[in-house]
């Protein structure tokens, strides 16, 4: 196996910690799309059609209510399914035409990758909400070639994908309006855990201010690089018994939902010198504490798919996201990332 690929495979072989007890996850799963072509939308207000012509039904979106924790959405065709998805004054349910935004990447159906009459068949997903995960659906729709640019996915070696420079933004924890942007190369800053249940776990720590870090993880599958980052605030305690401590903090946000964030506390006074110890002390985090970090990266053992990079056959680097829960059967390859342990 290619060394770079094996490092990234280990990077997301992990376990998760529930609020009541540690739950061991034996594998991380991800649905790798079979898509070899992407349609990049370059026009606003585009309609997607059920058939490859401008007279067939549009893709519509039904919203269960005007907006709440329990909201969920469904896509449907206006000419064949409208009777199943109606507006409702009592519940607040309403219907809109579905429009992808200019700049969106839509996966061309791998089973129908060639155009018909100048139209491409693409896959789109309804929006998924935290209160109703798994209730969104997907539909195939046809987009006219005039409204998009077709980008073919290049066959790429893992080593090449691992060298992609990824833009990352740091916000000043003490002044949210102050930001710093940079690029990271996953190969250059890669570190590895060398003990315990997460032996060989690969990660990168990125920072610009001493009060916060981003923990970066990536996984290469096929011709795609899956990227995820986890934010953690940094605090300092001279009287702490351990060099480094990890906690998951739950806070209520402005709309009453609970947000979970990571807090890492370093032993010592707040200073650059103490902060720099994090690079060595990260390797000393206990398996219990490390599982807290890992559970924010792949909740429920699922690899996030909201930031995925690939090379086009034109030589350019592109990124897109998709809802892996709604990919139709036959359009993806199920991948399993085994948990690597030392006994």
């Amino acid at each position: 196996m290619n060394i770079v690929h094996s490092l990234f495979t280990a990077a997301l072989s992990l376990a998760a910690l529930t609020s009541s007890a540690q739950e061991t996850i034996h594998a991380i799963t991800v649905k790798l799309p079979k898509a070899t072509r992407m349609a990049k939308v370059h026009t606003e207000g585009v309609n997607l059609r059920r058939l490859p012509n401008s007279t067939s039904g549009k893709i519509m979106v039904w919203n269960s209510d005007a907006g709440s924790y329990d909201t969920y959405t469904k896509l449907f065709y206006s000419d064949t399914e409208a009777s199943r998805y109606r507006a409702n004054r009592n519940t607040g349910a309403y219907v809109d035409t579905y429009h992808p935004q200019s700049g969106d990447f839509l996966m061309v159906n791998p089973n129908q990758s060639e155009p018909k009459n100048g139209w491409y068949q693409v896959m789109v997903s309804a929006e998924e909400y935290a209160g109703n995960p798994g209730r969104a659906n997907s539909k195939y729709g046809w987009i006219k070639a005039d409204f998009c640019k077709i980008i073919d996915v290049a066959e790429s070696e893992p080593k090449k994908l691992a060298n992609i420079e990824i833009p990352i933004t740091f916000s000043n924890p003490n002044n949210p309006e102050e930001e710093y942007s940079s690029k990271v190369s996953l190969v250059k800053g890669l570190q590895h855990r060398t003990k315990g249940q997460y032996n060989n776990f690969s990660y990168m720590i990125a920072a610009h201010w001493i009060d916060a870090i981003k923990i970066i993880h990536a996984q290469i599958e096929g011709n795609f690089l899956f990227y995820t980052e986890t934010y953690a605030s940094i605090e300092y305690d001279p009287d702490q018994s351990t060099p480094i401590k990890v906690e998951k903090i739950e806070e209520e946000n402005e709309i009453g939902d609970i947000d979970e964030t990571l807090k890492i506390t370093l032993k010592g006074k707040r200073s650059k010198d103490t902060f720099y110890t994090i690079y060595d002390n990260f390797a000393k985090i206990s398996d219990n504490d490390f599982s807290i970090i890992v559970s924010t990266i792949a909740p429920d053992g699922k690899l996030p798919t909201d930031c995925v990079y690939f090379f086009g056959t034109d030589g350019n680097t592109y990124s897109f996201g998709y809802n892996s829960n709604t990919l139709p059967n036959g359009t993806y390859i199920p991948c399993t990332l085994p948990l690597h342990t030392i006994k």
Side-chain angles (χ1 to χ4, degrees):
M1 180 183 289
N2 182 287
I3 292 177
V4 173
H5 185 269
S6 95
L7 291 178
F8 279 102
T9 297
L12 281 159
S13 299
L14 41 85
L17 186 70
T18 65
S19 58
S20 57
Q22 184 173 346
E23 177 188 357
T24 299
I25 295 175
H26 298 289
I28 301 302
T29 60
V30 62
K31 293 178 180 177
L32 173 68
K34 291 183 179 180
T36 59
R37 311 193 93 169
M38 299 285 177
K40 183 179 181 182
V41 182
H42 55 56
T43 306
E44 293 288 357
V46 174
N47 293 317
L48 301 183
R49 301 285 179 169
R50 182 174 63 85
L51 298 173
N53 60 63
S54 58
T55 59
S56 69
K58 303 174 185 177
I59 292 185
M60 309 292 288
V61 56
W62 177 86
N63 303 268
S64 63
D65 58 49
S68 70
Y69 184 76
D70 297 318
T71 300
Y72 66 97
T73 58
K74 293 286 187 181
L75 298 182
F76 67 95
Y77 299 120
S78 63
D79 57 350
T80 59
E81 299 176 302
S83 62
R84 295 169 53 191
Y85 300 97
R86 297 182 180 278
N88 186 310
R89 186 177 299 176
N90 294 328
T91 64
Y94 67 98
V95 172
D96 274 333
T97 303
Y98 177 87
H99 295 301
Q101 295 182 344
S102 179
D104 282 356
F105 281 79
L106 307 178
M107 289 187 281
V108 176
N109 181 2
N111 302 312
Q112 178 60 64
S113 59
E114 296 302 319
K116 280 190 175 183
N117 305 322
W119 295 70
Y120 286 91
Q121 190 178 46
V122 296
M123 295 181 286
V124 292
S125 298
E127 188 170 357
E128 194 164 50
Y129 290 86
N132 280 289
R135 297 197 69 173
N137 67 338
S138 64
K139 287 288 184 184
Y140 290 119
W142 293 86
I143 183 171
K144 200 170 184 180
D146 296 349
F147 303 134
C148 63
K149 176 184 178 181
I150 296 300
I151 299 168
D152 289 310
V153 179
E155 292 285 338
S156 303
E157 292 293 323
K159 186 174 182 180
K160 182 179 179 181
L161 288 165
N163 276 286
I164 290 176
E165 289 194 331
I166 297 174
I168 183 172
T169 299
F170 304 93
S171 295
N172 186 342
N174 304 310
N175 181 9
E177 295 182 0
E178 184 179 358
E179 291 185 339
Y180 172 79
S181 296
S182 184
K183 290 186 176 181
V184 299
S185 171
L186 298 171
V187 167
K188 293 178 182 178
L190 205 62
Q191 300 182 62
H192 311 92
R193 224 168 134 77
T194 58
K195 65 175 184 177
Q197 188 172 18
Y198 304 101
N199 179 60
N200 242 7
F201 185 99
S202 301
Y203 59 87
M204 178 188 293
I205 298 172
H208 184 68
W209 285 280
I210 67 172
D211 294 309
I213 63 170
K214 285 187 175 180
I215 308 165
I216 296 168
H217 299 258
Q219 173 64 34
I220 294 172
E221 289 292 345
N223 298 310
F224 297 101
L225 168 64
F226 297 83
Y227 173 90
T228 183
E229 60 183 40
T230 299
Y231 174 90
S233 61
I234 304 297
E235 296 191 3
Y236 301 85
D237 182 0
D239 301 320
Q240 185 170 281
S241 59
T242 57
I244 186 168
K245 183 173 68 174
V246 181
E247 298 173 88
K248 184 175 286 187
I249 306 299
E250 295 184 349
E251 295 180 332
E252 186 174 333
N253 59 28
E254 295 177 354
I255 62 174
D257 293 339
I258 300 298
D259 291 332
E260 292 185 342
T261 59
L262 287 179
K263 181 179 79 173
I264 294 176
T265 307
L266 300 175
K267 181 179 176 62
K269 294 182 179 179
R270 181 182 180 277
S271 68
K272 288 184 178 180
D273 289 340
T274 303
F275 175 77
Y276 291 144
T277 66
I278 194 170
Y279 295 99
D280 291 327
N281 286 332
F282 221 80
K284 302 174 184 177
I285 296 175
S286 69
D287 278 351
N288 248 14
D289 278 5
F290 209 79
S291 68
I292 299 173
I293 294 173
V294 165
S295 68
T296 67
I297 296 162
D300 301 320
K302 293 183 179 180
L303 187 63
T305 55
D306 54 348
C307 187
V308 185
Y309 286 84
F310 69 95
F311 287 108
T313 54
D314 58 5
N316 294 322
T317 305
Y318 299 96
S319 66
F320 74 110
Y322 64 96
N323 184 345
S324 63
N325 293 329
T326 62
L327 287 181
N329 290 334
T331 63
Y332 64 87
I333 301 170
C335 296
T336 300
L337 315 178
L339 179 65
H340 187 88
T341 62
I342 287 183
K343 295 183 179 180

